[in-house]
Amino acid sequence: MWGVSPDDFAEEVTEVWPDCWPAVQFFAAVPPAAWLFKPDTSGKNAAGQLVTYFGGPVGIRPEAFREIRLALGTTVAQWRDIYPDVRVLEQAALEAMRASKP
């Protein structure tokens, strides 16, 4: 009655290999404010009206990696192991965000 079941989730469950789980946990802890965006660019359209274009995400802010690592209690040795996997997740997220951009 009070729990959740797989039917409560709209998306398909994705299994994660145990050796990748620390990277997934790290990536899940990245707050929206930790993402770095290109500066917006402004210009004029064909009618001469000033318009602003959304620059889009370029990745996780470099300084956020350390702060999240420390908050999660990840040691430097553990970080060396999971960092490449985190970058793969970051790249996949960027590709998904860019693909969904109108």
Side-chain angles (χ1 to χ4, degrees), residues 2-3 11 14 17 19 23 31 37 40 45-46 55 57 60 66 69 75-76 78-79 85-86 91 93:
W2 293 101
E11 296 181 19
T14 302
W17 291 345
D19 57 330
F37 288 83
D40 291 341
N45 62 14
I60 299 171
R66 179 179 182 274
R69 181 183 67 77
T75 67
V76 173
Q78 292 169 322
W79 179 241
D85 296 332
V86 170
Q91 188 60 41

Side-chain angles (χ1 to χ4, degrees), residues 6-95:
D7 296 335
D8 295 326
F9 298 94
E11 296 181 19
E12 193 174 308
V13 174
T14 302
E15 294 184 23
V16 178
W17 291 345
D19 57 330
C20 295
W21 187 241
V24 171
Q25 289 179 307
F26 180 92
F27 194 77
V30 175
W35 284 91
L36 181 64
F37 288 83
K38 288 184 208 173
D40 291 341
T41 56
S42 298
K44 294 189 177 186
N45 62 14
Q49 300 166 320
L50 186 63
V51 294
T52 301
Y53 303 95
F54 178 63
V58 294
I60 299 171
R61 293 178 181 278
E63 65 274 13
F65 284 108
R66 179 179 182 274
E67 298 305 318
I68 297 166
R69 181 183 67 77
L70 293 175
L72 293 176
T74 305
T75 67
V76 173
Q78 292 169 322
W79 179 241
R80 287 185 187 121
D81 289 338
I82 70 170
Y83 180 72
D85 296 332
V86 170
R87 295 306 295 241
V88 169
L89 292 170
E90 177 188 32
Q91 188 60 41
L94 287 168
E95 289 172 9

